[in-house]
Amino acid sequence: MKRILYILIALLVSANASAQIERAAKSVFTLTTFKKDGTILASTHGVYVGANGEAISSWTPFVGADSAIVIDARGNQTTVTALIGANELYNLCKFKVAGRTQPAPVASVASKKGEKVWILQYSVNKPQIDQRTVQSVEPFMSKYSYYIFSANVPGNTDGCPVVNARGEVIGLLQHSKSGDQVYAADANFINSMSVADGLVIASQVLRQSFIPIDFPAEHKQAAVMLALTAEQGDSAMYQKYIRSFITRFPTAVEGYSALANTQLGRGDFASVDAIMQSALAKADNKAEAHSAYARLVYQKVTNLPDSIYPSWTADKVLAEATAAYAIDKRPLYINQQAQAHFLKGNYTKAYDQFISLTKTDIRNGDLFYSAAQCKSHLKAPATEILALLDSAIVASPHPLNFVGAPYVLARGTQYYNMKDFRKAVTDFNEYDSLMQGRPISSDFYYVRHKAELEIHQYQQAINDIDRAIILQRDSPTLWAEKAALHVRFNQADKALRSATICTKLAPEYADGYILLGIANMLSKNKAEGTKAFLKAKELGDPRADEYMKKYK
């Protein structure tokens, strides 16, 4: 009787194990990845390990992939939405698909040498289950197991899960490149991967694929990741991240603001408006939504003033900023109101608001700089403007760096306008140093060369006009300035070369021919000099006759 009972228990245990293994087989899928042109890149297998679309598979098929799909054991096709983690050494990847999924459990206890395990091959109909024995187990990273099996398994089983008698996944099957070994790295290793913070966007491994990386669960970290994604320089990839963020965080403003910014860059103001109306309707933080809307309209009004969109004016900026402040009394929203008043020409009101903000926790150099601009428009004494620019520099991070550089440049320009050229050059030189290799405009070097001439720093002036030309080689005005400098210092050959280039760039520019004539005269080329003066006269320059008399 006991023998029969033992047999019945064994049969029941065996049947239960079989049922669990077959249940796990329903979580197996095929994975197909695609290139950007839509052609197939690679295919493999994998298994769902979470109810919310979490899955594990091989990593190699994802390298260079623009998109991917999975087809489960029921024949249902689903899109891969995001990558969660990957390891090149063990060729494993964790990712997510759209929708709910039926997961197989991942084993919490490692299998041992000699233990029976089962390879679950993909099948839409009856599960294909292949029993094997673990030949050996090697530990790695102190807490994971590396399983080795006999090599006599079908070649199309890469990525298929290996399960224990409880139907728990112990690893994903892989073949060695030589084909003489079959192994599986612990499924816990790849399943333990998660996206903890926004810095994951810098992962060199995951960025080998063009499928977006999953966002962290925490909203602030996800927002950081979205902001960092904008700096990657791949507009198509950025669009993927934006839409993924909106899907993941439908009540957060950042996604709508980012999407609207991309449309603003295309000049599609109607789309921007529609996106921000959606943000106002769905966002939890209505104040931030109004502020973001104000910021977008401000960008359009200031940067694209000639583009027509009647409802977007400085008044619209003010209305949205005021709406934001009515909900949440943040200084930032007063700053936006001040910017709107500045756009409207209400410089006194704007000045009062900017100055009031310098007494808050957002005190910074830009507030004093903006106040200085208001005073400039109000025709205030130069000393008042200069004092505000001094304050802008003092309020900047110290020691000074590129953050404070614009205010140093503004003060230098103010000194230049006041004809205090020595102080102007001092500030210009500091600005040049603070920029530390960052782009500087041709205009800056042109203005500094003018100031340097006033204080008799002639070689520095020549160096700066040369720098200006390097940045803007097709400017006839700069070549004319360079020619004039060389004429001034009796450097005939250099003057002749510069004036020649000027006339070639602008054949109708009379100044170029005047300078070409003088340079030729200095070089004792009287005939060519006269010819150049006659051309200048033909172009209507009254100085031509005077120069021909002078060099007669």
Side-chain angles (χ1 to χ4, degrees):
M1 186 68 180
K2 286 184 178 180
R3 185 168 179 272
I4 295 173
L5 182 60
Y6 289 146
I7 292 172
L8 288 173
I9 292 173
L11 289 172
L12 286 171
V13 170
S14 178
N16 183 54
S18 178
Q20 290 176 320
I21 292 168
E22 288 189 11
R23 189 180 301 114
K26 295 178 182 178
S27 302
V28 182
F29 56 75
T30 61
L31 166 74
T32 305
T33 60
F34 300 88
K35 301 176 185 177
K36 286 187 176 182
D37 61 7
T39 58
I40 293 176
L41 175 63
S43 62
T44 188
H45 302 91
V47 62
Y48 292 126
V49 291
N52 295 313
E54 298 88 350
I56 57 175
S57 184
S58 303
W59 166 242
T60 303
F62 284 98
V63 177
D66 184 67
S67 61
I69 61 169
V70 299
I71 300 176
D72 64 23
R74 293 180 176 81
N76 299 317
Q77 179 177 306
T78 313
T79 302
V80 173
T81 58
L83 303 175
I84 297 174
N87 184 276
E88 287 184 295
L89 179 61
Y90 295 102
N91 190 26
L92 291 170
C93 178
K94 186 177 182 182
F95 58 92
K96 287 185 73 173
V97 301
R100 300 280 295 178
T101 46
Q102 179 180 325
V106 175
S108 57
V109 179
S111 293
K112 299 178 181 178
K113 179 180 178 180
E115 185 177 322
K116 290 182 179 179
V117 294
W118 289 263
I119 299 169
L120 305 183
Q121 298 183 51
Y122 173 79
S123 176
V124 175
N125 300 310
K126 183 176 176 59
Q128 297 181 35
I129 300 170
D130 189 9
Q131 182 178 299
R132 283 289 184 275
T133 300
V134 178
Q135 284 192 339
S136 63
V137 183
E138 299 176 1
F140 73 96
M141 296 178 68
S142 74
K143 60 180 178 179
Y144 300 117
S145 298
Y146 191 79
Y147 304 101
I148 298 176
F149 310 98
S150 61
N152 60 336
V153 295
N156 63 348
T157 53
D158 266 7
C160 287
V162 182
V163 302
N164 58 24
R166 294 178 294 280
E168 298 169 335
V169 181
I170 66 168
L172 298 181
L173 201 69
Q174 296 184 18
H175 292 76
S176 63
K177 290 182 179 179
S178 62
D180 60 356
Q181 192 179 68
V182 178
Y183 55 86
D186 201 324
N188 277 296
F189 169 62
I190 191 63
N191 192 42
S192 65
M193 289 189 174
S194 62
V195 178
D197 59 57
L199 297 180
V200 71
I201 194 65
S203 168
Q204 294 301 312
V205 175
L206 292 176
R207 286 178 61 188
Q208 293 179 72
S209 175
F210 298 104
I211 295 173
I213 302 168
D214 195 27
F215 281 102
E218 203 272 317
H219 164 244
K220 287 185 179 179
Q221 285 298 324
V224 168
M225 181 172 164
L226 183 64
L228 292 175
T229 305
E231 300 173 6
Q232 301 299 320
D234 187 332
S235 58
M237 195 69 171
Y238 184 43
Q239 284 286 336
K240 290 182 180 181
Y241 277 106
I242 291 172
R243 298 194 181 278
S244 177
F245 184 94
I246 292 173
T247 300
R248 185 78 173 272
F249 302 97
T251 62
V253 175
E254 293 90 348
Y256 300 102
S257 179
L259 183 60
N261 261 306
T262 64
Q263 298 306 309
L264 184 69
R266 297 187 179 99
D268 190 351
F269 307 123
S271 291
V272 175
D273 188 68
I275 292 165
M276 294 314 297
Q277 291 299 334
S278 182
L280 288 168
K282 297 177 182 179
D284 288 334
N285 191 333
K286 303 296 184 186
E288 183 55 31
H290 281 292
S291 174
Y293 196 7
R295 187 161 51 249
L296 288 159
V297 178
Y298 178 81
Q299 289 173 5
K300 187 271 173 194
V301 174
T302 55
N303 300 329
L304 301 165
D306 297 329
S307 300
I308 299 173
Y309 200 69
S311 63
W312 282 16
T313 61
D315 285 324
K316 179 65 173 174
V317 178
L318 182 60
E320 292 300 326
T322 303
Y325 189 71
I327 299 169
D328 186 359
K329 302 294 190 287
R330 292 180 61 191
L332 172 63
Y333 305 147
I334 295 180
N335 188 45
Q336 289 184 301
Q337 291 177 41
Q339 290 173 334
H341 282 301
F342 187 91
L343 284 177
K344 286 166 61 66
N346 298 334
Y347 301 118
T348 300
K349 178 66 174 176
Y351 172 81
D352 291 341
Q353 288 186 315
F354 285 131
I355 288 298
S356 72
L357 289 171
T358 64
K359 301 174 178 65
T360 70
D361 59 0
I362 69 165
R363 172 189 173 93
N364 58 51
D366 199 56
L367 294 172
F368 288 105
Y369 173 71
S370 297
Q373 287 184 305
C374 292
K375 283 291 187 179
S376 179
H377 281 282
L378 291 168
K379 309 299 182 185
T383 52
E384 289 186 24
I385 299 170
L386 198 59
L388 288 166
L389 293 174
D390 285 339
S391 296
I393 294 169
V394 171
S396 298
H398 281 71
L400 281 177
N401 55 28
F402 70 92
V403 174
Y407 315 131
V408 174
L409 175 61
R411 188 176 67 180
T413 303
Q414 182 63 31
Y415 279 131
Y416 182 89
N417 293 336
M418 294 166 64
K419 300 189 184 305
D420 192 340
F421 300 111
R422 194 165 297 280
K423 287 183 179 179
V425 169
T426 298
D427 273 350
F428 290 155
N429 290 344
E430 184 175 13
Y431 169 78
D432 199 358
S433 298
L434 292 173
M435 290 301 283
Q436 296 179 340
R438 291 175 173 82
I440 296 178
S441 72
S442 173
D443 289 342
F444 166 76
Y445 292 112
Y446 175 75
V447 172
R448 188 168 70 172
H449 115 276
K450 287 290 214 182
E452 288 162 338
L453 286 174
E454 294 289 346
I455 59 175
H456 311 299
Q457 292 184 356
Y458 301 127
Q459 186 57 54
Q460 291 92 326
I462 290 174
N463 292 343
D464 273 341
I465 201 66
D466 285 343
R467 289 189 184 99
I469 287 173
I470 287 172
L471 294 171
Q472 197 176 351
R473 289 186 177 278
D474 59 350
S475 170
T477 302
L478 291 178
W479 282 106
E481 287 284 348
K482 179 173 169 61
L485 270 181
H486 292 308
V487 165
R488 179 174 181 173
F489 303 126
N490 203 31
Q491 297 170 335
D493 290 346
K494 292 180 179 179
L496 186 59
R497 178 178 177 274
S498 299
T500 300
I501 293 173
C502 176
T503 56
K504 286 181 178 179
L505 286 171
E508 304 301 312
Y509 184 37
D511 277 6
Y513 291 100
I514 291 290
L515 289 163
L516 183 61
I518 296 171
N520 272 294
M521 291 302 185
L522 292 175
S523 299
K524 310 300 182 185
N525 297 327
K526 187 174 180 181
E528 290 297 319
T530 302
K531 181 179 176 182
F533 288 141
L534 288 172
K535 179 63 178 178
K537 182 177 181 179
E538 179 186 323
L539 292 170
D541 194 315
R543 297 172 298 171
D545 285 333
E546 296 176 14
Y547 279 113
M548 281 191 285
K549 288 179 183 178
K550 179 179 179 179
Y551 290 105
K552 186 174 180 182

